[in-house]
Coordinates of all heavy atoms in Angstrom, one line a residue:
M1 N 8.1 2.5 -1.7 CA 7.7 1.6 -2.8 C 7.4 2.3 -4.0 O 6.9 3.5 -4.0 CB 6.6 0.7 -2.3 CG 5.2 1.4 -2.1 SD 3.9 0.3 -1.5 CE 3.4 -0.5 -3.0
R2 N 7.5 1.7 -5.2 CA 7.2 2.3 -6.5 C 5.7 2.1 -6.7 O 5.1 1.0 -6.5 CB 8.0 1.6 -7.5 CG 7.9 2.3 -8.9 CD 8.4 3.7 -8.9 NE 9.8 3.9 -8.4 CZ 10.9 3.8 -9.2 NH1 10.7 3.6 -10.5 NH2 12.0 4.0 -8.7
C3 N 5.1 3.1 -7.3 CA 3.6 3.0 -7.6 C 3.4 1.8 -8.6 O 4.1 1.8 -9.6 CB 3.1 4.3 -8.2 SG 1.4 4.3 -8.6
P4 N 2.5 0.9 -8.3 CA 2.3 -0.3 -9.1 C 1.6 0.0 -10.5 O 1.5 -0.9 -11.3 CB 1.5 -1.2 -8.3 CG 0.7 -0.3 -7.4 CD 1.6 0.9 -7.1
C5 N 1.1 1.2 -10.7 CA 0.3 1.4 -11.9 C 1.2 1.7 -13.1 O 0.8 1.7 -14.2 CB -0.6 2.6 -11.7 SG 0.1 4.2 -12.1
G6 N 2.5 1.9 -12.7 CA 3.5 2.1 -13.9 C 3.8 3.5 -14.2 O 4.5 3.9 -15.1
C7 N 3.2 4.5 -13.4 CA 3.5 5.9 -13.6 C 4.9 6.3 -13.2 O 5.4 7.4 -13.5 CB 2.4 6.8 -12.9 SG 2.6 6.7 -11.1
G8 N 5.5 5.5 -12.4 CA 6.9 5.8 -12.1 C 7.1 6.5 -10.8 O 8.2 6.8 -10.4
D9 N 6.0 7.0 -10.2 CA 6.1 7.7 -8.9 C 6.5 6.8 -7.8 O 6.1 5.6 -7.7 CB 4.8 8.4 -8.6 CG 4.5 9.6 -9.5 OD1 5.4 9.9 -10.3 OD2 3.4 10.2 -9.3
D10 N 7.2 7.4 -6.8 CA 7.4 6.7 -5.6 C 6.3 7.0 -4.6 O 5.9 8.2 -4.3 CB 8.8 7.1 -4.9 CG 9.9 6.5 -5.7 OD1 9.8 5.3 -6.0 OD2 10.9 7.2 -5.9
L11 N 5.7 6.0 -4.0 CA 4.6 6.1 -3.0 C 5.3 6.4 -1.6 O 6.2 5.8 -1.2 CB 3.8 5.0 -2.9 CG 3.0 4.6 -4.3 CD1 2.1 3.4 -4.0 CD2 2.2 5.8 -4.8
E12 N 4.6 7.4 -0.9 CA 5.0 7.6 0.4 C 4.0 6.9 1.3 O 3.0 7.5 1.8 CB 5.1 9.1 0.8 CG 6.2 9.7 -0.1 CD 6.3 11.2 0.3 OE1 5.8 11.6 1.3 OE2 6.9 12.0 -0.4
V13 N 4.2 5.6 1.6 CA 3.3 4.9 2.5 C 3.8 4.9 3.9 O 4.9 4.5 4.2 CB 3.1 3.5 2.0 CG1 2.2 2.7 2.9 CG2 2.6 3.4 0.6
M14 N 3.0 5.6 4.7 CA 3.5 5.9 6.1 C 3.3 4.6 6.9 O 2.2 4.2 7.2 CB 2.7 7.0 6.7 CG 3.0 8.4 6.0 SD 4.6 9.0 6.2 CE 5.2 8.8 4.5
L15 N 4.4 4.0 7.3 CA 4.3 2.8 8.1 C 4.6 3.2 9.6 O 4.5 2.3 10.5 CB 5.3 1.8 7.6 CG 5.0 1.2 6.3 CD1 6.1 0.3 5.8 CD2 3.7 0.5 6.2
L16 N 4.8 4.5 9.8 CA 5.2 4.9 11.2 C 3.9 5.0 12.0 O 2.9 5.6 11.5 CB 5.9 6.2 11.2 CG 7.2 6.2 10.4 CD1 7.8 7.6 10.3 CD2 8.2 5.2 11.0
S17 N 3.9 4.4 13.2 CA 2.7 4.4 14.0 C 2.2 5.8 14.4 O 1.0 6.0 14.7 CB 2.9 3.5 15.2 OG 3.9 4.0 16.0
E18 N 3.1 6.7 14.5 CA 2.7 8.0 14.9 C 2.1 8.9 13.8 O 1.6 10.0 14.1 CB 3.9 8.8 15.6 CG 5.0 9.0 14.7 CD 6.1 7.9 14.8 OE1 5.7 6.8 15.1 OE2 7.3 8.2 14.7
V19 N 2.1 8.4 12.6 CA 1.6 9.2 11.5 C 0.2 8.6 11.2 O -0.1 7.4 11.1 CB 2.5 9.0 10.3 CG1 1.9 9.8 9.1 CG2 3.9 9.6 10.6
K20 N -0.8 9.6 11.1 CA -2.1 9.2 10.7 C -2.5 9.8 9.4 O -2.3 11.0 9.2 CB -3.1 9.7 11.8 CG -2.8 9.2 13.2 CD -3.1 7.7 13.3 CE -2.8 7.3 14.7 NZ -3.0 5.8 14.9
P21 N -3.1 9.1 8.4 CA -3.3 7.7 8.5 C -2.0 6.9 8.3 O -1.1 7.3 7.6 CB -4.3 7.4 7.4 CG -3.9 8.4 6.4 CD -3.5 9.6 7.1
N22 N -2.0 5.7 9.0 CA -0.9 4.9 8.8 C -1.3 3.5 8.3 O -2.5 3.1 8.5 CB -0.1 4.7 10.1 CG -0.9 4.0 11.2 OD1 -1.9 4.5 11.7 ND2 -0.5 2.7 11.5
W23 N -0.4 2.8 7.7 CA -0.7 1.5 7.2 C 0.1 0.5 8.0 O 1.2 0.8 8.4 CB -0.3 1.4 5.7 CG -1.2 2.1 4.8 CD1 -2.3 1.6 4.1 CD2 -1.2 3.5 4.4 NE1 -2.9 2.6 3.3 CE2 -2.2 3.7 3.5 CE3 -0.4 4.6 4.8 CZ2 -2.5 5.0 3.0 CZ3 -0.6 5.8 4.3 CH2 -1.7 6.0 3.4
S24 N -0.5 -0.6 8.1 CA 0.3 -1.7 8.8 C 0.7 -2.7 7.7 O 0.0 -3.1 6.8 CB -0.6 -2.4 9.8 OG -1.7 -3.0 9.2
L25 N 1.9 -3.1 7.8 CA 2.4 -4.0 6.8 C 2.7 -5.3 7.6 O 3.6 -5.4 8.4 CB 3.8 -3.5 6.2 CG 4.3 -4.2 5.0 CD1 3.4 -4.3 3.8 CD2 5.6 -3.5 4.6
K26 N 2.0 -6.3 7.2 CA 2.1 -7.6 7.9 C 3.1 -8.5 7.1 O 2.9 -8.8 6.0 CB 0.7 -8.3 8.0 CG -0.3 -7.6 8.8 CD -1.7 -8.2 8.6 CE -1.7 -9.7 9.1 NZ -3.0 -10.3 9.0
T27 N 4.2 -8.8 7.8 CA 5.2 -9.6 7.1 C 5.7 -10.6 8.1 O 5.9 -10.4 9.2 CB 6.4 -8.7 6.7 OG1 6.9 -8.0 7.8 CG2 6.0 -7.7 5.6
K28 N 5.7 -11.8 7.5 CA 6.3 -12.9 8.2 C 7.4 -13.5 7.3 O 7.4 -13.1 6.1 CB 5.3 -14.1 8.6 CG 4.3 -13.6 9.6 CD 3.3 -14.7 9.8 CE 2.2 -14.3 10.8 NZ 1.2 -15.3 10.9
D29 N 8.2 -14.3 7.8 CA 9.4 -14.7 7.0 C 9.0 -15.5 5.7 O 9.4 -15.2 4.7 CB 10.2 -15.7 7.8 CG 11.1 -14.9 8.8 OD1 11.2 -13.7 8.7 OD2 11.5 -15.5 9.8
E30 N 7.9 -16.3 5.9 CA 7.4 -17.0 4.7 C 6.3 -16.3 3.9 O 6.0 -16.7 2.8 CB 7.0 -18.5 5.1 CG 7.9 -19.2 6.0 CD 7.6 -18.9 7.4 OE1 6.5 -18.8 7.7 OE2 8.6 -18.8 8.2
D31 N 5.6 -15.4 4.6 CA 4.4 -14.8 4.0 C 4.8 -13.6 3.1 O 5.6 -12.8 3.6 CB 3.4 -14.5 5.1 CG 2.9 -15.6 5.8 OD1 3.1 -16.8 5.3 OD2 2.2 -15.5 6.8
P32 N 4.1 -13.5 2.0 CA 4.3 -12.2 1.2 C 3.6 -11.1 1.9 O 2.7 -11.3 2.8 CB 3.6 -12.5 -0.1 CG 2.7 -13.6 0.2 CD 3.3 -14.4 1.3
P33 N 4.0 -9.8 1.6 CA 3.4 -8.7 2.3 C 2.0 -8.4 2.1 O 1.5 -8.6 1.0 CB 4.3 -7.5 1.9 CG 4.8 -7.9 0.5 CD 4.9 -9.4 0.5
T34 N 1.3 -7.9 3.1 CA -0.2 -7.5 3.0 C -0.2 -6.1 3.6 O 0.3 -5.9 4.8 CB -1.1 -8.4 3.7 OG1 -1.1 -9.7 3.0 CG2 -2.5 -7.9 3.8
L35 N -0.8 -5.2 2.9 CA -0.9 -3.8 3.4 C -2.4 -3.4 3.6 O -3.2 -3.7 2.7 CB -0.3 -2.9 2.3 CG 0.2 -1.5 2.7 CD1 1.3 -1.6 3.7 CD2 0.7 -0.8 1.5
R36 N -2.7 -2.9 4.8 CA -4.0 -2.5 5.0 C -4.1 -1.2 5.8 O -3.2 -1.0 6.6 CB -4.8 -3.6 5.7 CG -4.4 -4.0 7.1 CD -5.2 -5.1 7.7 NE -4.9 -6.4 7.1 CZ -5.8 -7.1 6.5 NH1 -7.1 -6.7 6.3 NH2 -5.5 -8.3 6.0
P37 N -5.0 -0.3 5.6 CA -6.1 -0.4 4.6 C -5.5 -0.2 3.2 O -4.3 -0.2 3.0 CB -7.0 0.8 5.0 CG -6.1 1.8 5.6 CD -5.1 1.0 6.4
S38 N -6.4 0.0 2.2 CA -6.0 0.1 0.9 C -5.2 1.4 0.7 O -5.3 2.3 1.5 CB -7.2 0.1 -0.1 OG -8.0 1.2 0.2
V39 N -4.4 1.5 -0.3 CA -3.6 2.7 -0.6 C -4.3 3.4 -1.7 O -4.7 2.9 -2.7 CB -2.2 2.3 -1.1 CG1 -1.4 3.5 -1.5 CG2 -1.4 1.5 -0.1
W40 N -4.6 4.7 -1.4 CA -5.3 5.6 -2.3 C -4.6 6.9 -2.4 O -4.6 7.6 -1.5 CB -6.8 5.8 -1.8 CG -7.7 6.3 -2.9 CD1 -7.3 6.8 -4.1 CD2 -9.1 6.5 -2.8 NE1 -8.4 7.2 -4.8 CE2 -9.5 7.0 -4.0 CE3 -10.1 6.2 -1.8 CZ2 -10.9 7.3 -4.3 CZ3 -11.4 6.5 -2.1 CH2 -11.8 7.0 -3.3
R41 N -4.0 7.0 -3.6 CA -3.2 8.3 -3.8 C -4.1 9.4 -4.1 O -5.1 9.3 -4.9 CB -2.3 8.0 -5.0 CG -1.3 7.0 -4.8 CD -0.2 7.1 -6.0 NE 0.5 8.4 -5.8 CZ 1.2 8.9 -6.8 NH1 1.3 8.4 -7.9 NH2 1.9 10.0 -6.5
K42 N -3.9 10.5 -3.4 CA -4.8 11.7 -3.5 C -4.1 12.6 -4.5 O -4.7 13.7 -4.8 CB -4.9 12.4 -2.2 CG -5.7 11.5 -1.2 CD -7.1 11.1 -1.6 CE -7.9 10.6 -0.5 NZ -7.4 9.4 0.1
T43 N -2.9 12.3 -5.0 CA -2.3 13.1 -6.0 C -1.8 12.3 -7.1 O -1.8 11.1 -7.0 CB -1.1 13.9 -5.3 OG1 -0.2 12.9 -4.8 CG2 -1.6 14.8 -4.2
G44 N -1.3 12.9 -8.1 CA -0.6 12.2 -9.2 C -1.7 11.3 -10.0 O -2.7 11.7 -10.4
C45 N -1.4 10.0 -10.0 CA -2.1 9.1 -10.8 C -3.4 8.6 -10.1 O -4.2 7.9 -10.7 CB -1.3 7.9 -11.2 SG -0.8 6.9 -9.7
M46 N -3.6 9.0 -8.9 CA -4.8 8.6 -8.1 C -5.0 7.1 -8.0 O -6.1 6.6 -7.9 CB -6.1 9.2 -8.7 CG -5.9 10.8 -9.1 SD -5.8 11.8 -7.6 CE -7.5 11.8 -7.0
A47 N -4.0 6.4 -8.0 CA -4.0 4.9 -8.0 C -4.7 4.5 -6.6 O -4.4 5.1 -5.6 CB -2.7 4.3 -8.1
H48 N -5.6 3.5 -6.7 CA -6.2 3.0 -5.5 C -6.1 1.5 -5.6 O -6.7 0.9 -6.5 CB -7.7 3.4 -5.5 CG -8.4 3.1 -4.2 ND1 -9.8 3.2 -4.1 CD2 -8.0 2.7 -3.0 CE1 -10.1 2.8 -2.9 NE2 -9.1 2.5 -2.2
F49 N -5.5 0.9 -4.6 CA -5.2 -0.5 -4.7 C -5.0 -1.1 -3.3 O -4.7 -0.4 -2.4 CB -4.0 -0.8 -5.6 CG -2.7 -0.2 -5.1 CD1 -1.9 -1.0 -4.2 CD2 -2.4 1.1 -5.4 CE1 -0.7 -0.4 -3.7 CE2 -1.2 1.6 -4.9 CZ -0.4 0.9 -4.0
W50 N -5.2 -2.4 -3.3 CA -4.8 -3.2 -2.1 C -3.5 -4.0 -2.4 O -3.3 -4.4 -3.5 CB -5.9 -4.2 -1.7 CG -7.1 -3.6 -1.2 CD1 -8.1 -3.1 -2.0 CD2 -7.5 -3.4 0.1 NE1 -9.1 -2.7 -1.2 CE2 -8.8 -2.8 0.1 CE3 -6.9 -3.7 1.4 CZ2 -9.4 -2.5 1.3 CZ3 -7.6 -3.4 2.5 CH2 -8.8 -2.8 2.5
L51 N -2.8 -4.2 -1.4 CA -1.6 -5.1 -1.5 C -1.9 -6.3 -0.6 O -1.9 -6.1 0.6 CB -0.3 -4.4 -1.1 CG 1.0 -5.3 -1.1 CD1 1.3 -5.8 -2.5 CD2 2.2 -4.6 -0.5
R52 N -2.2 -7.4 -1.2 CA -2.6 -8.6 -0.4 C -1.7 -9.7 -0.8 O -1.6 -10.1 -2.0 CB -4.0 -9.0 -0.6 CG -5.0 -8.0 0.0 CD -6.4 -8.7 0.2 NE -7.4 -7.8 0.5 CZ -8.3 -7.3 -0.3 NH1 -8.3 -7.7 -1.5 NH2 -9.2 -6.5 0.1
N53 N -1.0 -10.3 0.1 CA -0.2 -11.5 -0.1 C 0.8 -11.2 -1.3 O 1.1 -12.1 -2.1 CB -1.0 -12.7 -0.4 CG -1.9 -13.1 0.7 OD1 -1.5 -13.0 1.9 ND2 -3.2 -13.4 0.5
G54 N 1.3 -10.0 -1.3 CA 2.3 -9.7 -2.3 C 1.7 -9.3 -3.7 O 2.5 -9.1 -4.6
H55 N 0.4 -9.4 -3.8 CA -0.2 -9.1 -5.1 C -1.0 -7.8 -5.1 O -1.7 -7.5 -4.0 CB -1.1 -10.2 -5.5 CG -0.4 -11.5 -5.8 ND1 0.3 -11.7 -6.9 CD2 -0.3 -12.6 -5.1 CE1 0.9 -12.9 -6.9 NE2 0.5 -13.5 -5.8
I56 N -1.0 -7.0 -6.2 CA -1.8 -5.8 -6.2 C -3.2 -6.1 -6.7 O -3.4 -6.8 -7.6 CB -1.1 -4.8 -7.2 CG1 0.3 -4.5 -6.8 CG2 -2.0 -3.6 -7.4 CD1 0.3 -3.7 -5.5
H57 N -4.2 -5.6 -5.9 CA -5.6 -5.7 -6.3 C -6.1 -4.3 -6.5 O -6.2 -3.5 -5.6 CB -6.4 -6.4 -5.2 CG -6.0 -7.8 -5.0 ND1 -6.6 -8.9 -5.6 CD2 -5.0 -8.4 -4.2 CE1 -6.1 -10.0 -5.2 NE2 -5.1 -9.8 -4.4
W58 N -6.5 -4.0 -7.7 CA -7.0 -2.7 -8.0 C -8.4 -2.5 -7.6 O -9.2 -3.4 -7.7 CB -6.9 -2.4 -9.5 CG -5.4 -2.3 -10.0 CD1 -4.8 -3.3 -10.6 CD2 -4.5 -1.3 -9.8 NE1 -3.5 -2.9 -10.8 CE2 -3.3 -1.7 -10.3 CE3 -4.6 0.0 -9.2 CZ2 -2.2 -0.8 -10.3 CZ3 -3.5 0.8 -9.2 CH2 -2.3 0.4 -9.7
C59 N -8.8 -1.3 -7.1 CA -10.1 -1.0 -6.7 C -11.0 -0.5 -7.8 O -10.4 0.1 -8.8 CB -10.1 0.0 -5.5 SG -9.3 -0.6 -4.1
Ligands
ZN101 ZN1 0.8 5.5 -10.3

């Protein structure tokens, strides 16, 4: 996914269960995506945000 802060970086959000830490992406057919826990970039722009119901919530 593309970093939502606008810096243009691609985020490597690990959704694979064997990778720690990993994120779970809850998706249903009608529901927008929710990502938990929050995404906190340790490099680059240091963006820290939640993705809830398809919307970005900045920390
Ligand atoms: Zn960014």
Side-chain angles (χ1 to χ4, degrees):
M1 64 184 279
R2 187 62 57 89
C3 183
C5 87
C7 67
D9 284 357
D10 284 320
L11 299 182
E12 295 182 16
V13 177
M14 295 294 113
L15 297 175
L16 303 174
S17 60
E18 62 266 28
V19 177
K20 304 293 183 181
N22 66 288
W23 286 264
S24 63
L25 190 60
K26 296 172 61 177
T27 53
K28 296 178 184 176
D29 286 342
E30 311 90 38
D31 292 351
T34 293
L35 201 59
R36 64 183 72 241
S38 62
V39 177
W40 196 350
R41 298 193 65 197
K42 298 299 196 295
T43 58
C45 64
M46 311 293 285
H48 189 192
F49 62 91
W50 292 85
L51 178 63
R52 289 199 191 103
N53 299 320
H55 294 285
I56 299 295
H57 294 266
W58 294 100
C59 297

